[in-house]
Amino acid sequence: MTAALPVARRRGVRAAEKGTDRAARPGVLWVLPATLFFMLFAGLPLVLVAVLSFTSWNGLGTPAFNGFDNWTRMASDPSVLQSLRISAVLTVLSWAVQTPLALLLGVWAAGRQRNRAVLSSLFFLPLLMSTAAIAITWLTLLDPNFGLAAKFGPSIGFPDGNIIGSSRGALGCIIVVVSWQFVPFHTLLYQAAARQIPKSLYDAATVDGAGRVRQFRHVTLPQLRNTIVTSSVLMLVGSLTYFETVLILTGGGPGGATNILPQHMYMTAFRDYQMGYASVIALALVALGTTLSMLIVRFSGFAKMRSTLEGI
Amino acid sequence: MAVVRQSGPGRLRRTAGRRLGRANWAAGVASLVWLAFVITPIYLMVKDALQTTDSYLDGGPLSLPHHLTGHNFADVFDRGFTHYLINTAIVTVASAVLTVLLAFPAAYAIVRSRSRAVSGVFRLFLAGLAIPAQATIIPVYLMITRMHLYDSLTAIVLPTVAFGLPLSVLVLSSALRDVPRELYEAMTIDGSGSVRLMWSLALPLSRASLTTVSVYSALNAWNGFLFPLILTQSDEQRVQTLGLYNFQGQFSSNIPGLMAAVLLSALPIFVVYLFARRWLVAGMAGVGGK
């Protein structure tokens, strides 16, 4: 956000500082520990994953270079394409489910009424649990013999209650579970943003005779534009973390129906011990995440970050 | 029912920032539906954890709890869950402390320094926000084995901290920007150098953000799953999330035992939430904070 600060203004401030300010200025040494640490354990791996993509390595011993073998192999690997397709479907569907829910809940929870405050404190409970705890809890709920799924499965088209074990239902289960887990976080974002909307806008709309729905459409939604973009980027990039949920809930199954790309990479690396090939898939993940968020940023005009306070 | 209380005098004042004077019934009902969806799994988890296996199997998911027992917890402790919790606590404290120790001086310098290199570092951390941890697990595994740290708690802490640094630096530096320049100058006249300025001016004035960052990194470490999964192996070094994952395989017929473990793993955070909700929510919303 700070990077968006007008350069001219920053320069102006700096010039003013030079004249009067003699306070001590910390040097590069101060940022060195954090930078080195970050470069070593997050930056270097990013470089290494690219290097490893040109090697063959089984997890033990030394990686051996094998040129473009992994790359050509991926280009003609139907299972990668299949994983990519499932990832795309899961990402888009969970975005489409979570965004409206989080937006409406956030705007609602932004109200200062007592009942809303109490209810929102309950809404945030899933945020406290780890992915592992959440996935395991849901796994027992989805148990076809003793879980809730046994009770409700038949009424939604799964007579044996085995929703999670069917190729139709498994992806749906994952969407439900990740929504349960992540909607609260995005609600939090929207709640904070909705509280920033100037009251005068609503007053003006009320004077103009706009009802609740029209106020939502013409005041709230436009005012939340930046938050919608932020939340969507976080959601799309964050969909990589659905891997942990998938691993515990379905392990990619049944029959590969939920085998999203990160899951496919993990299995290739740590079950099949084809670390080199898995590195190519990992790179594809990085490329995908970066491209996706850049596309959103570009097409939503987020880069310009037009102030929502324009015209007030 | 609570919605009704919103009508009447005083409502306008209380709902400053809200739109209309009348209660929003449709939203009220919808929020109750969402509440049911959110609460049901948690309620069932707690209920199952307190039941005997027999009454779990007989009763079905929606039965009222009966035959309450603490036996499941004893069972979970017997299987070494205490040890996992202790391991997790060590990882959590180490990660939070290390994150703050690294991030705070960096954020301070980013805000105060005029060096070009330092502003480059800021952009580096901005870009670092976009690195997905999942995509780096293979090289991280390679590095950790080469450093002979595989299957140790240190192995978990190192990448966990590294991937938490960008956000922590960002949150801290935006807080430090709010410290007025005049205060630095005033203290300089008293003869303070950079270290003293940071210690007795910047640090106390950014206590709120420091708490946010500590909570955020602690929560991340406590709930972390990916790095422990690929970097540890033995029972000795197991953290609670992996313990759960492991139990899930072993306890297939003992759901109450499994749920007791899940409840225990989340209990410390539930307790913190109860007493310090504001800090916890701020820590979780770290990304959203402006």
Side-chain angles (χ1 to χ4, degrees):
Chain A
M1 309 297 110
T2 326
L5 236 156
V7 178
R9 227 194 86 206
R10 262 158 98 196
R11 289 229 174 95
V13 171
R14 279 195 187 156
E17 277 174 355
K18 267 189 186 140
T20 56
D21 168 30
R22 270 172 322 222
R25 296 285 181 176
V28 186
L29 225 58
W30 289 68
V31 292
L32 218 52
T35 313
L36 287 180
F37 194 91
F38 176 72
M39 287 311 283
L40 183 60
F41 292 106
L44 181 61
L46 204 60
V47 177
L48 278 181
V49 79
V51 175
L52 283 172
S53 75
F54 296 103
T55 67
S56 145
W57 182 43
N58 64 4
L60 300 166
T62 316
F65 281 97
N66 65 353
F68 282 90
D69 284 8
N70 298 322
W71 289 81
T72 47
R73 182 178 159 199
M74 184 171 76
S76 59
D77 185 348
S79 70
V80 167
L81 213 67
Q82 170 77 352
S83 288
L84 199 62
R85 210 178 51 81
I86 298 170
S87 293
V89 171
L90 178 65
T91 304
V92 170
L93 283 184
S94 41
W95 176 83
V97 169
Q98 289 183 63
T99 300
L101 279 173
L103 199 145
L104 289 172
L105 281 166
V107 170
W108 183 83
R112 304 279 182 183
Q113 295 91 325
R114 212 170 165 76
N115 62 323
R116 296 191 183 189
V118 172
L119 279 190
S120 4
S121 70
L122 292 171
F123 288 166
F124 294 144
L125 283 177
L127 280 173
L128 307 176
M129 295 169 68
S130 65
T131 307
I134 290 172
I136 288 169
T137 303
W138 274 93
L139 203 54
T140 62
L141 296 185
L142 291 168
D143 185 278
N145 298 314
F146 303 107
L148 270 185
K151 208 135 203 121
F152 294 117
S155 49
I156 52 171
F158 295 91
D160 58 351
N162 196 1
I163 312 175
I164 188 105
S166 72
S167 51
R168 277 185 309 143
L171 203 66
C173 290
I174 299 208
I175 293 171
V176 169
V177 175
V178 297
S179 300
W180 191 85
Q181 179 173 9
F182 291 109
V183 162
F185 172 76
H186 295 277
T187 302
L188 212 56
L189 295 187
Y190 284 113
Q191 182 196 36
R195 282 186 174 162
Q196 305 283 322
I197 301 176
K199 188 173 178 303
S200 58
L201 292 179
Y202 290 112
D203 293 342
T206 310
V207 171
D208 290 345
R212 195 188 320 269
V213 175
R214 289 187 57 188
Q215 289 195 8
F216 180 79
R217 268 190 50 203
H218 297 291
V219 179
T220 312
L221 272 186
Q223 286 287 313
L224 290 179
R225 191 184 50 212
N226 289 345
T227 313
I228 295 174
V229 178
T230 312
S231 154
S232 300
V233 171
L234 289 173
M235 245 182 236
L236 295 179
V237 176
S239 70
L240 290 180
T241 57
Y242 299 167
F243 153 67
E244 300 176 14
T245 311
V246 169
L247 178 71
I248 296 172
L249 273 185
T250 64
T258 56
N259 197 17
I260 58 173
L261 209 53
Q263 168 78 21
H264 190 57
M265 177 203 69
Y266 173 77
M267 285 300 176
T268 309
F270 292 95
R271 190 198 55 193
D272 306 340
Y273 296 106
Q274 303 180 359
M275 301 276 186
Y277 187 46
S279 297
V280 187
I281 306 178
L283 272 183
L285 276 178
V286 176
L288 219 65
T290 323
T291 319
L292 220 60
S293 40
M294 273 183 356
L295 279 181
I296 304 171
V297 168
R298 160 138 297 181
F299 283 109
S300 58
F302 190 62
K304 281 176 257 149
M305 262 300 212
R306 228 163 6 112
S307 167
T308 44
L309 295 182
E310 258 170 34
I312 296 180
Chain B
M1 357 97 227
V3 185
V4 182
R5 295 219 327 264
Q6 294 309 320
S7 47
R11 164 149 168 75
L12 255 180
R13 189 173 43 80
R14 229 184 310 146
T15 61
R18 283 294 84 205
R19 283 138 280 177
L20 298 175
R22 59 204 163 71
N24 191 343
W25 283 99
V29 171
S31 69
L32 289 179
V33 173
W34 180 256
L35 179 70
F37 175 64
V38 168
I39 288 299
T40 307
I42 297 177
Y43 163 72
L44 288 178
M45 182 260 286
V46 175
K47 188 194 83 170
D48 291 348
L50 296 168
Q51 271 186 328
T52 61
T53 312
D54 286 341
S55 65
Y56 168 78
L57 295 179
D58 294 343
L62 292 178
S63 67
L64 288 172
H66 51 115
H67 295 123
L68 292 188
T69 171
H71 171 78
N72 299 315
F73 296 97
D75 195 21
V76 168
F77 284 132
D78 275 349
R79 293 180 183 237
F81 204 66
T82 324
H83 182 65
Y84 304 159
L85 287 176
I86 292 171
N87 279 346
T88 317
I90 296 171
V91 169
T92 301
V93 171
S95 300
V97 169
L98 193 57
T99 303
V100 169
L101 281 182
L102 288 169
F104 193 76
Y108 172 70
I110 281 168
V111 173
R112 292 289 298 162
S113 174
R114 288 209 182 107
S115 149
R116 240 167 225 294
V118 172
S119 55
V121 165
F122 182 67
R123 280 195 296 276
L124 174 85
F125 280 119
L126 265 184
L129 276 177
I131 302 181
Q134 284 76 15
T136 63
I137 54 176
I138 298 163
V140 165
Y141 170 78
L142 171 71
M143 286 167 61
I144 292 293
T145 46
R146 285 292 183 275
M147 293 164 82
H148 301 290
L149 287 172
Y150 183 74
D151 201 23
S152 70
L153 296 182
T154 317
I156 303 173
V157 172
L158 296 176
T160 303
V161 170
F163 280 94
L165 272 180
L167 191 62
S168 306
V169 169
L170 249 53
V171 169
L172 286 176
S173 57
S174 73
L176 283 167
R177 264 179 239 282
D178 294 341
V179 179
R181 197 159 50 93
E182 290 75 16
L183 291 181
Y184 288 107
E185 285 162 24
M187 282 196 67
T188 307
I189 295 169
D190 296 343
S192 305
S194 273
V195 177
R196 244 193 88 86
L197 286 177
M198 178 183 84
W199 186 253
S200 31
L201 178 63
L203 201 65
L205 284 182
S206 50
R207 213 178 299 148
S209 308
L210 271 175
T211 318
T212 304
V213 166
S214 322
V215 168
Y216 164 79
S217 35
L219 206 63
N220 248 352
W222 181 270
N223 288 337
F225 179 75
L226 184 67
F227 290 125
L229 177 70
I230 58 157
L231 300 176
T232 62
Q233 188 176 37
S234 67
D235 195 54
E236 204 47 37
Q237 309 295 336
R238 194 162 288 153
V239 293
Q240 52 96 359
T241 45
L242 275 192
L244 292 180
Y245 185 47
N246 215 40
F247 281 170
Q248 194 252 312
Q250 296 172 8
F251 275 56
S252 50
S253 58
N254 182 4
I255 298 299
L258 187 59
M259 291 300 105
V262 167
L263 179 57
L264 279 175
S265 81
L267 206 56
I269 300 170
F270 279 138
V271 171
V272 176
Y273 188 63
L274 215 57
F275 293 108
R277 195 157 67 87
R278 239 185 77 220
W279 294 121
L280 205 58
V281 170
M284 291 182 297
V287 196
K290 291 205 169 163

